[in-house]
């Protein structure tokens, strides 16, 4: 049988039977070794719902035939082009029943909207799916079963094109498997957005949360309000540390920016459909609206302020007042003004014609309300609507926006701050400040997407802070993978799924974005797709390492931060400083120096706490795996080591 081994052993007490048993033992060892090798070659991300690994391989013949129903035709064309390009073999689309690769569209409710069955055996490759999405994801799994060279751009002559025998039945745990791309802080071209969608589809991610507006730029054409892009899409160019930016003079040329025309948005939506991706647009209001107000300042509580699109200089006091952030420049829309809702009606009306997805995101986060509190118009609104707090003012605003979206046939989603002051009747919540807001919304029977900064913020540095540049916080992939989207006491049916968010304050280009996204986005994908019982960090981390070859082949930039040691320090009662190292993945050796020299495998090998003498200025570390250097050279200054020290009493 392809799925395992069956043996019948005669029990006879003679030399012949003894020899047979010995031979059988040798055969068993060889067979188990073969199975072990095959298991190592099945490195699917995300982990399938059900996976059986058989004994043997299917080798692609010199002429590959693909039988595929018309509903999946574009997938067949893509497969044909890929196999021709990389294997150099003849590939034909055929209706023959004994085709090398056979797709069948079936009616099987257990597969749902995105599930599939995939069998690889001596007869070839067979796929069964109900939908285009299921067929697409089967194709992605087929690609991952092939050697990594399958992703090449030219013929690979020396590759044996074989796939291990497998039997897979696969359906996603959650319908929402998302990635948020912030194109406001830094603009990314249509081609770059498509590239990210290609990469998302490889790992069965199906929601692109498109953060289109913020203080630093308005990125979508609204035909009835042309100043939003004429003014709001452009700012003076700045390169440097975020919030360490010199505030531009008002007359400084505004040369950095860009926006998507409505035709480009239609093109992106059409392309996304081929990848089974829904695009959810976000217009971030009432806060984060500096670019909006640069175009139409009269929509704020300070209409005479000389607004311009923010270039990265800091204008928010994050320590705040009485637990609330405060803004030195009012970057909020004014909820008391009728014109605000008139403009939002226009904006969401045009968006509704461009994005077919059922949800639109209104932001609603980090609204500094100190300027609202000083506004006579806001005070009059509060009296008129019986609003007691500024949180209730924001809730009033959210409810008005929800009605606008509903009038366009859409549902509202917002960050978890929209809970403050009372949740709008049918709003969905995206929980980013941990899971508390999401749990609260779910208990109120509202749909929730989990995207907590504690586990899913991909703009956080992912390895050694001194090597990557500290931002708001650090986030190791192991912690991202450990996330469970359904909090205790919450019904799973209200949790739509899991999403990774990548804010672009610290990014300048698509290569930087990819570096921060990968491989942590693989962890987001597996948490969202795979059954909870199938999660295993050691197995997953090994799979990720094997997928580095895929990313290399595709020339995708990614981080190898999983090889960075986790370096902590302690101070003993004598005030002596000790350094400790821990691996995020198994099988690493750390070699270090404290004498300014560059470390290699002949340097000190870490096997216990290191005393850092007073005169040392830098700790240098290199990670090794299987005798070879991996990762990056770490140069940790003594000041950084002292800063992270904890006292041991």
């Amino acid at each position: 049988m392809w799925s395992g081994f069956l043996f019948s052993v005669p029990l006879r007490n003679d030399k012949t039977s003894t020899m047979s048993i010995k031979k059988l033992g040798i055969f068993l060892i060889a067979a188990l070794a073969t199975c072990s090798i095959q298991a190592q070659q099945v490195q699917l991300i995300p982990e399938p719902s059900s996976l059986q690994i058989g004994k043997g391989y299917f080798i692609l013949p010199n002429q590959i035939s693909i039988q595929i129903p018309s509903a999946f035709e574009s997938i067949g064309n893509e497969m044909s082009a890929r196999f021709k390009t990389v294997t150099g073999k003849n590939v034909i689309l055929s209706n023959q029943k004994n085709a090398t690769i056979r797709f069948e569209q079936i009616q099987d409710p257990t597969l749902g909207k995105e599930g599939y069955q995939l069998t690889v055996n001596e007869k070839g490759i067979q796929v069964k799916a109900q939908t285009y999405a299921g067929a697409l994801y089967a194709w992605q799994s087929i690609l991952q079963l092939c050697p990594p060279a399958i992703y090449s751009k030219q013929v690979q002559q020396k590759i044996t094109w074989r796939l291990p025998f497998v039997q897979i039945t696969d359906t996603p745990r959650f319908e929402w498997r998302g990635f948020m791309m912030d194109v406001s802080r830094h603009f990314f071209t249509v081609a770059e957005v498509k590239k990210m969608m290609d990469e998302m589809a490889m790992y069965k991610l199906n929601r692109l949360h498109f953060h289109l507006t913020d203080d630093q730029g308005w990125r979508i054409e609204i035909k009835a309000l042309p100043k939003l892009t004429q003014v709001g899409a452009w700012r003076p160019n700045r390169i440097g540390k975020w919030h360490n930016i010199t505030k531009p003079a008002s007359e400084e040329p505004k040369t950095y920016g860009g926006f998507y025309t409505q035709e480009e948005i239609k093109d992106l939506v059409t392309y996304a459909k081929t990848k089974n991706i829904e695009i959810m647009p976000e217009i971030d209001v009432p806060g984060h609206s500096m670019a909006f107000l640069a175009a139409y300042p009269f929509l704020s509580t300070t209409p005479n302020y000389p607004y311009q699109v923010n270039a990265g200089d800091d204008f928010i006091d994050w320590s705040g007042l009485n637990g609330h952030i405060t803004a030195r420049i009012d970057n909020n829309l004014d909820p008391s003004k009728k014109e605000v809702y008139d403009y939002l009606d226009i904006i969401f009306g045009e968006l509704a014609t461009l994005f077919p997805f059922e949800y639109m995101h209104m932001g609603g986060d980090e609204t500094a309300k100190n300027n609202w509190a000083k506004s006579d118009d806001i005070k009059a609104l509060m009296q008129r609507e019986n609003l007691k707090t500024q949180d209730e003012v924001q809730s009033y605003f959210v409810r008005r926006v929800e009605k606008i979206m509903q009038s366009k046939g859409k549902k509202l989603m917002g960050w978890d701050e929209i809970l403050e002051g009372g949740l709008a009747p049918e709003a969905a919540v995206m929980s980013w400040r941990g899971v508390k807001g999401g749990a609260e919304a779910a208990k109120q029977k509202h749909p929730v997407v989990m995207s907590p900064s504690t586990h899913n913020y991909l703009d956080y540095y992912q390895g050694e802070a001194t090597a990557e540049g500290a931002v708001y916080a650090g986030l190791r992939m192991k912690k991202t993978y450990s996330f469970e989207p359904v909090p205790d006491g919450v019904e799973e049916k209200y949790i739509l799924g899991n999403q990774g968010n990548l804010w672009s304050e610290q990014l300048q280009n698509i290569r930087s974005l990819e570096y921060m996204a990968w491989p942590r986005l693989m962890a987001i994908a597996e948490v969202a797709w795979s059954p909870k019982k199938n999660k295993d960090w050691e197995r997953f981390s090994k799979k990720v390492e094997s997928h580095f070859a895929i990313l290399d082949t595709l020339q995708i930039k990614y981080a190898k931060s999983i090889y960075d040691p986790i370096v902590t320090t302690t101070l003993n009662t004598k005030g002596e400083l000790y350094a400790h190292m821990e691996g995020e993945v198994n099988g690493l050796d750390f070699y270090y120096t404290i004498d300014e020299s560059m470390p290699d495998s002949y340097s000190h090998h870490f096997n216990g706490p290191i005393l850092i003498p007073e005169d040392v200025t830098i700790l240098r570390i290199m990670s090794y795996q299987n005798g070879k250097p991996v990762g990056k050279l770490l140069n940790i200054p003594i000041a950084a080591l002292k800063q992270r020290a904890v006292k041991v009493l």
Side-chain angles (χ1 to χ4, degrees):
M1 296 176 65
W2 74 266
S3 60
F5 305 93
L6 291 175
F7 300 102
S8 176
V9 182
L11 296 177
R12 296 193 337 230
N13 188 18
D14 56 27
K15 291 182 180 180
T16 304
S17 63
T18 302
M19 288 297 293
S20 297
I21 290 171
K22 284 181 179 179
K23 289 180 180 179
L24 179 59
I26 294 169
F27 172 73
L28 272 169
I29 293 170
L32 290 171
T34 301
C35 268
S36 176
I37 292 170
Q38 285 179 247
Q40 292 171 16
Q41 291 179 342
V42 179
Q43 304 283 0
L44 295 174
I45 300 177
E47 185 71 17
S49 308
S50 172
L51 166 66
Q52 294 176 281
I53 302 172
K55 185 186 72 170
Y57 296 89
F58 176 70
I59 298 175
L60 292 175
N62 289 330
Q63 177 157 304
I64 301 169
S65 52
I66 302 171
Q67 185 271 322
I68 199 158
S70 58
F72 308 155
E73 184 178 0
S74 62
I75 297 171
N77 292 333
E78 184 179 327
M79 295 179 78
S80 176
R82 174 104 321 255
F83 284 127
K84 283 179 182 177
T85 298
V86 180
T87 69
K89 299 175 183 290
N90 295 323
V91 185
I92 59 170
L93 296 178
S94 168
N95 289 324
Q96 57 184 315
K97 292 184 178 180
N98 62 342
T100 312
I101 303 170
R102 301 181 297 284
F103 278 73
E104 183 181 353
Q105 188 171 21
I106 62 170
Q107 296 298 317
D108 184 351
T110 64
L111 294 179
K113 297 177 182 178
E114 299 176 293
Y116 64 92
Q117 293 176 351
L118 170 62
T119 302
V120 181
N121 57 23
E122 66 281 354
K123 296 179 181 178
I125 301 168
Q126 304 95 43
V127 172
K128 294 180 180 180
Q130 286 204 120
T131 64
Y132 174 90
L136 175 71
Y137 292 146
W139 167 224
Q140 298 307 316
S141 293
I142 290 168
L143 285 167
Q144 290 188 24
L145 290 171
C146 292
I150 192 67
Y151 295 94
S152 300
K153 295 180 180 178
Q154 57 191 18
V155 173
Q156 302 295 309
Q157 299 283 6
K158 298 181 181 180
I159 301 292
T160 299
W161 294 104
R162 66 180 190 176
L163 290 77
F165 288 175
V166 293
Q167 177 72 49
I168 295 170
T169 300
D170 205 7
T171 57
R173 179 183 178 191
F174 294 106
E175 65 176 284
W176 191 296
R177 305 179 302 280
F179 171 59
M180 191 214 71
M181 189 171 182
D182 174 9
V183 298
S184 175
R185 273 58 177 271
H186 284 286
F187 181 67
F188 296 93
T189 66
V190 168
E192 290 168 340
V193 177
K194 287 181 178 180
K195 188 175 191 294
M196 283 308 300
M197 286 196 280
D198 291 344
E199 295 169 22
M200 288 172 63
M202 287 169 56
Y203 295 100
K204 304 181 176 71
L205 294 162
N206 68 347
R207 299 286 187 268
L208 175 61
H209 176 172
F210 216 20
H211 187 78
L212 289 163
T213 74
D214 214 296
D215 297 309
Q216 291 77 31
W218 185 283
R219 303 295 178 213
I220 184 167
E221 177 188 25
I222 303 298
K223 290 184 182 295
L225 299 171
K227 288 180 69 176
L228 286 171
T229 47
Q230 291 170 358
V231 175
W234 306 95
R235 67 180 192 239
N237 194 23
R238 290 287 187 274
I239 296 175
K241 187 71 174 174
W242 196 257
H243 288 165
N244 191 36
I245 297 291
T246 305
K247 183 178 179 179
S250 58
E251 68 276 6
E252 189 172 336
K254 296 169 176 56
T255 57
Y256 179 83
F259 64 92
Y260 308 103
T261 67
Q262 293 199 1
E263 289 305 310
E264 287 173 326
I265 291 292
K266 291 175 184 176
D267 178 43
L268 285 172
V269 169
T270 299
Y271 189 80
K273 187 175 182 180
T274 69
K275 303 296 178 181
N276 191 45
I277 292 172
E278 297 280 7
I279 303 179
M280 177 179 66
E282 180 184 352
I283 304 297
D284 201 349
V285 290
H288 289 283
S289 293
M290 191 83 78
F292 195 162
L293 296 173
Y296 300 103
F298 68 91
L299 299 177
S300 73
T301 62
T302 54
N304 296 319
Y305 185 82
Y307 283 104
Q308 58 177 323
V309 179
N310 181 262
D313 48 299
D314 195 6
F315 63 93
I316 297 283
D317 182 355
W318 297 101
S319 59
L321 178 67
N322 299 324
H324 295 283
I325 62 173
T326 58
R328 294 186 289 274
I329 303 170
D330 186 8
N331 66 330
N332 294 340
L333 300 178
D334 182 347
S336 71
K337 289 182 175 172
K338 175 182 179 297
E339 295 88 347
V340 166
Y341 303 104
D342 292 340
Y343 276 48
L344 291 176
D345 186 83
I346 292 169
I347 291 165
F348 288 119
E350 292 197 20
L351 258 63
T353 66
L354 297 170
F355 296 95
F357 188 47
E358 60 183 323
Y359 283 103
M360 293 195 289
H361 202 296
M362 64 148 290
D365 63 314
E366 297 179 332
T367 303
K369 304 177 179 75
N370 55 300
N371 289 289
W372 283 359
K374 295 184 289 187
S375 167
D376 290 337
D377 289 340
I378 297 287
K379 291 174 184 176
L381 170 69
M382 295 176 72
Q383 186 173 8
R384 186 170 65 249
E385 298 292 336
N386 194 28
L387 306 174
K388 296 178 177 60
T389 67
Q390 296 301 327
D391 285 344
E392 290 186 12
V393 172
Q394 175 158 323
S395 179
Y396 168 84
F397 175 85
V398 174
R399 290 167 191 266
R400 291 282 301 266
V401 172
E402 181 177 59
K403 288 180 180 177
I404 291 171
M405 288 189 182
Q406 288 173 340
S407 74
K408 316 301 178 189
K410 299 295 183 181
K411 299 176 183 178
L412 179 145
M413 184 175 288
W415 300 109
D416 57 62
E417 283 95 333
I418 68 172
L419 283 153
E420 297 167 2
L423 189 55
E426 297 179 35
V429 169
M430 187 166 278
S431 192
W432 75 276
R433 296 178 301 175
V435 300
K436 182 180 178 181
E440 182 181 337
K443 288 175 182 178
Q444 294 181 35
K445 304 187 185 305
H446 286 252
V448 172
V449 175
M450 287 297 188
S451 60
S453 60
T454 52
H455 293 77
N456 289 16
Y457 265 37
L458 304 178
D459 51 312
Y460 288 2
Y461 64 88
Q462 53 201 308
E464 168 56 40
T466 58
E468 297 193 344
V471 284
Y472 309 113
L475 177 60
R476 289 273 182 166
M477 184 171 66
K478 187 174 184 179
K479 187 171 183 181
T480 297
Y481 188 74
S482 72
F483 180 57
E484 168 49 43
V486 182
D488 292 339
V490 169
E491 291 185 70
E492 185 163 322
K493 68 180 180 179
Y494 294 111
I495 306 300
L496 296 178
N498 192 40
Q499 177 171 296
N501 296 333
L502 183 43
W503 302 99
S504 64
E505 294 100 319
Q506 311 293 335
L507 308 179
Q508 298 287 342
N509 52 58
I510 188 67
R511 300 287 288 171
S512 298
L513 185 145
E514 287 180 329
Y515 179 87
M516 299 306 291
W518 303 110
R520 287 182 295 184
L521 205 47
M522 297 181 194
I524 300 285
E526 184 147 309
V527 168
W529 179 281
S530 305
K532 184 178 178 180
K533 63 181 176 61
N534 285 7
K535 286 178 61 180
D536 181 282
W537 166 250
E538 288 191 25
R539 181 177 64 207
F540 173 74
S541 61
K542 290 296 182 186
K543 291 193 300 183
V544 168
E545 289 185 81
S546 74
H547 277 238
F548 287 166
I550 294 174
L551 301 182
D552 286 334
T553 303
L554 287 167
Q555 298 179 338
I556 294 171
K557 190 171 184 179
Y558 62 96
K560 292 185 178 180
S561 303
I562 57 172
Y563 298 133
D564 289 358
I566 301 168
V567 180
T568 56
T569 55
T570 55
L571 283 170
N572 66 12
T573 54
K574 298 178 183 178
E576 295 172 323
L577 183 68
Y578 282 83
H580 311 257
M581 302 181 204
E582 180 184 351
E584 186 175 6
V585 297
N586 292 336
L588 296 178
D589 291 296
F590 305 125
Y591 294 90
Y592 69 92
T593 63
I594 56 175
D595 62 0
E596 307 288 323
S597 63
M598 294 297 169
D600 60 16
S601 59
Y602 292 88
S603 302
H604 298 292
H605 179 237
F606 175 78
N607 53 22
I610 309 164
L611 174 63
I612 308 293
E614 188 64 32
D615 295 333
V616 168
T617 61
I618 196 165
L619 170 65
R620 290 194 167 108
I621 310 167
M622 192 69 204
S623 302
Y624 278 71
Q625 187 182 61
N626 299 323
K628 296 180 180 180
V630 291
K632 51 186 172 287
L633 172 68
L634 301 183
N635 298 279
I636 310 178
I638 190 69
L641 294 173
K642 288 180 176 179
Q643 190 176 26
R644 65 185 72 172
V646 294
K647 290 184 179 180
V648 179
L649 300 178

